[in-house]
Amino acid sequence: MLEADFKYIIDTFFAIFSMTLIIFMVPGFAMLEAGLVRTKNVTSVLTINVMIYAVASMAFLLIGYKFAFGSWDNDSMSKWAAFLFQMAFVGKTINIMSGGVSERVKIIPLMIFAVVMAAFIYPAIVNITWGSNFLSGTMFDISAMHDLAGSTVIHSTGAWALLAAIIIMGSRKGRYPKGGGIRVIPASNIPLVTLGALLLWIGWFGFNGGSVGSISSKESADAVALTIMNTNTAGLAGAIIAALIMYVRYKLFDITMILNGALGGLVAITAGPDLYDMYTPILVGIIGGTLVVFAVPVFDKLKLDDPVGALSVHLVNGIWGTLAVGIFVESVSFMDQLKGVVVVAVFAFTSSFVALYIINKIVKFRAEDDAQVEGMDVNECGVEAYPEFKRAI
Amino acid sequence: MLEADFKYIIDTFFAIFSMTLIIFMVPGFAMLEAGLVRTKNVTSVLTINVMIYAVASMAFLLIGYKFAFGSWDNDSMSKWAAFLFQMAFVGKTINIMSGGVSERVKIIPLMIFAVVMAAFIYPAIVNITWGSNFLSGTMFDISAMHDLAGSTVIHSTGAWALLAAIIIMGSRKGRYPKGGGIRVIPASNIPLVTLGALLLWIGWFGFNGGSVGSISSKESADAVALTIMNTNTAGLAGAIIAALIMYVRYKLFDITMILNGALGGLVAITAGPDLYDMYTPILVGIIGGTLVVFAVPVFDKLKLDDPVGALSVHLVNGIWGTLAVGIFVESVSFMDQLKGVVVVAVFAFTSSFVALYIINKIVKFRAEDDAQVEGMDVNECGVEAYPEFKRAI
Amino acid sequence: MLEADFKYIIDTFFAIFSMTLIIFMVPGFAMLEAGLVRTKNVTSVLTINVMIYAVASMAFLLIGYKFAFGSWDNDSMSKWAAFLFQMAFVGKTINIMSGGVSERVKIIPLMIFAVVMAAFIYPAIVNITWGSNFLSGTMFDISAMHDLAGSTVIHSTGAWALLAAIIIMGSRKGRYPKGGGIRVIPASNIPLVTLGALLLWIGWFGFNGGSVGSISSKESADAVALTIMNTNTAGLAGAIIAALIMYVRYKLFDITMILNGALGGLVAITAGPDLYDMYTPILVGIIGGTLVVFAVPVFDKLKLDDPVGALSVHLVNGIWGTLAVGIFVESVSFMDQLKGVVVVAVFAFTSSFVALYIINKIVKFRAEDDAQVEGMDVNECGVEAYPEFKRAI
């Protein structure tokens, strides 16, 4: 057998394996978010998650993929496998955004935005980073940024869109009462939150490991394994530091913060897990988890109402993780990383804001106050999540 | 290394990978069905799902596999891996059947039927389609039917057995009140429904991708990747069309119907995902999802009481998907597809009906009315699903 | 391509695949245990499961791995993949232990013990069985024991630690009332129990299959496939026999016992799935499942309070499974197996007891009675698992 054929076969298989792991993030996000919101909004959140996967993937198939990469052709693996791997990413940017506007966002305008994001905004960002790069040679060329699996390309992009969305939609009714202060709204189902976060964690192995792009040489096999190991290590460190901080401050182990700490570490490591030695990810994750714990109250003080903590996890750590590669890896320029962060920030925020603004003029994103009080499930889905269970509150 | 050895190794690995994904369908079906039934029947449904996996797989190991394939020998991969892959399929036919008679079926007769199905009925159908074909050369030879992963062999077979079962067992007490009309019985746990459906979706990648049978050449690697991509695309299209139809008709996004639409698309694509170009699956899925939405009320009008919509998903789309290959793929004869559908229909329905009828004479399938009112969990399992949660209804 | 490179690549990929499956056991254990305990202790159990993964993996990375294997070097696959595979094991020993002291154990001392177990006790046992073996040549050398994936090394080790922990911590308040008898405490969420057990089952394919260590020759591919098939078969047999026994005795199908029967079969097969023919695992599993059913009331009579049945599943079957290889496989000496069981028992129990005893002097493991009555969630986590659901009991 020709070595090229061997590589083609193995890398196709590996891309399918990685893609499958990433698809576990679909139930991952769905369970995480369904567990974090109130029971009256659970069906709505689940419906949104399923529909994002359906709508965004279809838009990427029909429009976005070719826009991002210039062509479907691929020599190193089956072009269908290459597509599947990239398709598994696209919904995530919208999941990040939709989670943060849970309990008030309406489904129809959100689906319109999902099409815009998956067909145009996200592919444009992929185009200038991992793709055919229409900015090549211009002053906005950011292809020198090292962002293996998307601390910036995926996580910051989704979170900048979320920031734009929160500004346009406002906070949930009752979250910031007129008298001042913040109304605590507890997560309704902690087993779902835990299951979801752990499925995301497992999906991350495919996300980052698969982003190495090949496993068919000794060097690439090593790179894949190191990438997955470092990814995991940063998650461990994020969870541990979040637990420690919570305990020191409150003498309590708050599992939602511990899991968000882990996710923060995972987001932060995503830019460069292939370039670190085996100890640096501990530091990246510790800082990532710490940032989550301290960012959550800051966003609340700014009255940016984000029920799942997505800004703290994905925006703060998307930026931190991308810059960290420039700090800890000698061969990577900090300025290149910073430039990438800034260019993507400006483009993702601006384009999302414009898209959201226009859509909002046509169909309001925000549900009416009384619909929010009654719950999105009854109003948008006609299906209660737990109809037989008596509510305590 | 010899090329033959390379292929043996890779295809063994790939079969194990695919089998593993399919086994995720065991929790997939279990969660889906547990979420769709009332809380008083949840433990019973879960017990049935676990026991089907145990009993059917064991019967297939001891009897069914050899009957289906004539021999355990295998040259192209480890014979143990080949068995595991096929074993992962067998329980699905019974899952399809058991789901549709939930909330009234008793466990013991169902387990007897599981043995009959896994040891004889399903292996006989595999024998004449994918297996050693004892009908070869007779007028009933249907080996020309193209059914890659079982739109007919798995899904229709299970659903024909279900139809026979519903006829024999009747509807749930109170479902069709004497005064006329249909009593709506809402799903009790929507996160479980969603989780289950998404696990099924992921399992389908292994189901259909693995059915290509090899990934160890460039051509087969392409075929596997295309198969998985097309499988996914049909699921996306099924979900989208079901959402659109529900919204147009009711201004509500009913997630149970959206998920059943996706599953309908997935069933429909299963016969020929390897033969379509990348756009046809959109059409196959759109028609599949549409069929589900319109079939559900039809079966209810016929008073065929099917709590999970299995007839609409698996029977209607099993037929549609098999015929679709004859319609959209030039090299496949529509008449061969139709003949396959009809022969399997006659055999699966008749043999299941006879088996169910005889078993029913010995041990009644249907629980007594008062047992149904009290709930199957207390009566059959002695274990409540949610003993600490207060019931609202 | 050199054959050695081919093997390196394939075995790295296979180790990553196997590791990923094992990581599904993290949500597996978490969901199983969260479903088995009362709602007031669910968040605590989930927090413990997440933190065990984080703390134990980190301790193994920093200390335990090198202690167990003597070196990070690896010629046959990427050393990072080899680490990841082993790391996936370490938390399991502590999961086994923590599950059995649920509803009364406090998080901080448990985390201290997790460090001791993952950095020292478990690595020491790996060292003398699968690792560099510092006892080689002494009278305590047990390297002749065949324990492919850890019936003794993992399951018995964790369960001996559990036995020590139960002795030190005592039973849950109210479990054995002063007037005599045993207070039955039902599982609070059966879908979670089922989901968790099925995820563990799937994870076992990676656990045992991956422990073959290579899939890159025809012989090893066969060994992997046979191992996974036999693993599964023993689980099937354990579930079936547990169901039969429960039905014969109580006319009820108790799903928690059926699932524990399956897990018992899986633990029992873990020592030698690569050495049996395809029928022997049925016997191993039948005996395993039977042992679970009869051991559960025995431990209760001994007032060893174990809310999840971990002693019955992991201790009894860890021993049975290891001895079974000596009974059923001619080339394996029963005395070597027995010696391995005894040496590990003495070392694991003694070292765990000492560690637990010392930790307990510094920070009490057992929560105060009134904290137990109120629930661990409020006391240790500040987060209720299901705050919106009204309690029935």
Side-chain angles (χ1 to χ4, degrees), chain A residues 389, chain B residues 38-44 46-47 374-391, chain C residues 35-36 185-194 252-256 392-393:
Chain A
F389 296 85
Chain B
R38 286 168 287 183
T39 53
K40 65 182 177 182
N41 299 315
V42 168
T43 303
S44 164
L46 293 167
T47 309
E374 202 182 12
M376 304 303 294
D377 292 1
V378 172
N379 275 281
E380 293 251 296
C381 306
V383 176
E384 283 183 77
Y386 309 106
E388 294 190 39
F389 295 85
K390 193 156 192 155
R391 281 209 209 149
Chain C
L36 284 171
I185 298 173
S188 66
N189 194 323
I190 300 296
L192 287 188
V193 174
T194 308
L252 289 169
F253 293 98
D254 177 340
I255 191 171
T256 61
I393 51 177

Side-chain angles (χ1 to χ4, degrees), chain B residues 67-68 123-129 131-138 141 347:
Chain B
F67 177 23
I125 290 167
V126 171
N127 185 297
I128 62 174
T129 49
S132 48
N133 195 8
F134 70 85
L135 295 179
S136 177
T138 71
D141 186 343
F347 179 76

Side-chain angles (χ1 to χ4, degrees), chain B residues 1 5-6 8-10 20 31 47 53 61 72 78 80 87 108 380-381 384-390, chain C residues 3 6 10 21 38-39 187-191 215-216 218 222 225 229 232 247 253 255 278 390-392:
Chain B
M1 177 170 289
D5 286 3
F6 166 77
Y8 187 95
I9 293 162
I10 298 297
T20 308
M31 296 302 117
T47 309
Y53 179 60
L61 172 78
W72 278 70
S78 168
W80 317 114
M87 182 207 74
I108 290 189
E380 293 251 296
C381 306
E384 283 183 77
Y386 309 106
E388 294 190 39
F389 295 85
K390 193 156 192 155
Chain C
E3 185 162 329
F6 166 79
I10 299 298
L21 289 185
R38 285 168 288 184
T39 53
S188 66
N189 194 323
I190 300 296
I215 198 172
S216 64
K218 271 188 88 159
D222 278 332
M229 177 175 155
N232 189 58
Y247 189 76
F253 293 98
I255 191 171
M278 64 179 269
K390 192 154 193 158
R391 281 210 207 145

Side-chain angles (χ1 to χ4, degrees), chain A residues 36-336:
Chain A
L36 284 172
V37 300
R38 285 168 288 183
T39 52
K40 65 182 176 182
N41 298 316
V42 168
T43 302
S44 164
V45 159
L46 293 167
T47 308
I48 285 170
N49 272 276
V50 170
M51 289 307 298
I52 284 174
Y53 180 60
V55 168
S57 302
M58 186 63 83
F60 195 64
L61 171 78
L62 294 175
I63 301 170
Y65 184 63
K66 187 157 185 197
F67 177 23
F69 292 95
S71 154
W72 278 70
D73 293 342
N74 203 306
D75 290 330
S76 67
M77 67 174 75
S78 169
K79 64 179 173 179
W80 317 115
F83 167 77
L84 280 169
F85 181 71
Q86 294 297 333
M87 182 209 74
F89 281 40
V90 61
K92 304 303 155 280
T93 54
I94 308 156
N95 284 133
I96 292 165
M97 176 269 195
S98 77
V101 289
S102 292
E103 306 206 297
R104 58 204 187 278
V105 71
K106 288 197 291 184
I107 295 175
I108 290 188
L110 184 56
M111 288 307 121
I112 299 171
F113 180 72
V115 171
V116 175
M117 181 62 119
F120 305 108
I121 298 175
Y122 171 72
I125 290 166
V126 172
N127 184 297
I128 61 174
T129 50
W130 303 335
S132 48
N133 196 8
F134 70 86
L135 295 179
S136 177
T138 71
M139 64 174 288
F140 301 111
D141 186 343
I142 58 171
S143 57
M145 170 176 68
H146 185 84
D147 186 17
L148 180 74
S151 285
T152 287
V153 176
I154 307 275
H155 294 281
S156 296
T157 295
W160 286 118
L162 170 59
L163 184 63
I166 294 178
I167 292 170
I168 285 174
M169 292 181 219
S171 61
R172 289 170 288 176
K173 173 166 171 53
R175 172 67 168 161
Y176 305 114
K178 281 189 184 157
I182 298 165
R183 193 178 139 217
V184 176
I185 298 173
S188 65
N189 194 322
I190 299 297
L192 288 188
V193 173
T194 309
L195 175 63
L198 292 174
L199 290 180
L200 288 178
W201 195 321
I202 293 170
W204 236 290
F205 299 157
F207 217 98
N208 290 9
S211 290
V212 173
S214 169
I215 197 172
S216 63
S217 69
K218 271 187 88 158
E219 293 68 35
S220 58
D222 278 332
V224 167
L226 178 64
T227 291
I228 296 176
M229 177 174 155
N230 282 345
T231 298
N232 189 58
T233 301
L236 303 173
I240 291 170
I241 196 70
L244 284 175
I245 297 173
M246 293 312 285
Y247 188 77
V248 167
R249 294 174 77 183
Y250 305 108
K251 303 282 170 216
L252 289 169
F253 293 99
D254 177 340
I255 190 170
T256 61
M257 202 55 98
I258 293 170
L259 292 170
N260 267 342
L263 296 177
L266 290 164
V267 170
I269 198 68
T270 291
D274 53 331
L275 298 185
Y276 297 125
D277 63 45
M278 63 179 269
Y279 297 109
T280 307
I282 299 174
L283 193 57
V284 173
I286 284 177
I287 297 174
T290 306
L291 286 171
V292 169
V293 174
F294 289 99
V296 165
V298 170
F299 286 115
D300 254 337
K301 245 176 224 161
L302 297 170
K303 299 204 176 177
L304 294 166
D305 182 17
D306 169 8
V308 303
L311 289 173
S312 308
V313 170
H314 300 280
L315 182 58
V316 174
N317 274 298
I319 295 170
W320 155 240
T322 308
L323 297 181
V325 184
I327 296 168
F328 296 121
V329 179
E330 255 191 89
S331 62
V332 173
S333 145
F334 181 81
M335 291 312 296
D336 285 343

Side-chain angles (χ1 to χ4, degrees), chain B residues 218-234:
Chain B
K218 272 187 88 159
E219 293 69 35
S220 58
D222 278 332
V224 167
L226 178 64
T227 290
I228 295 175
M229 177 175 155
N230 282 345
T231 298
N232 189 57
T233 301

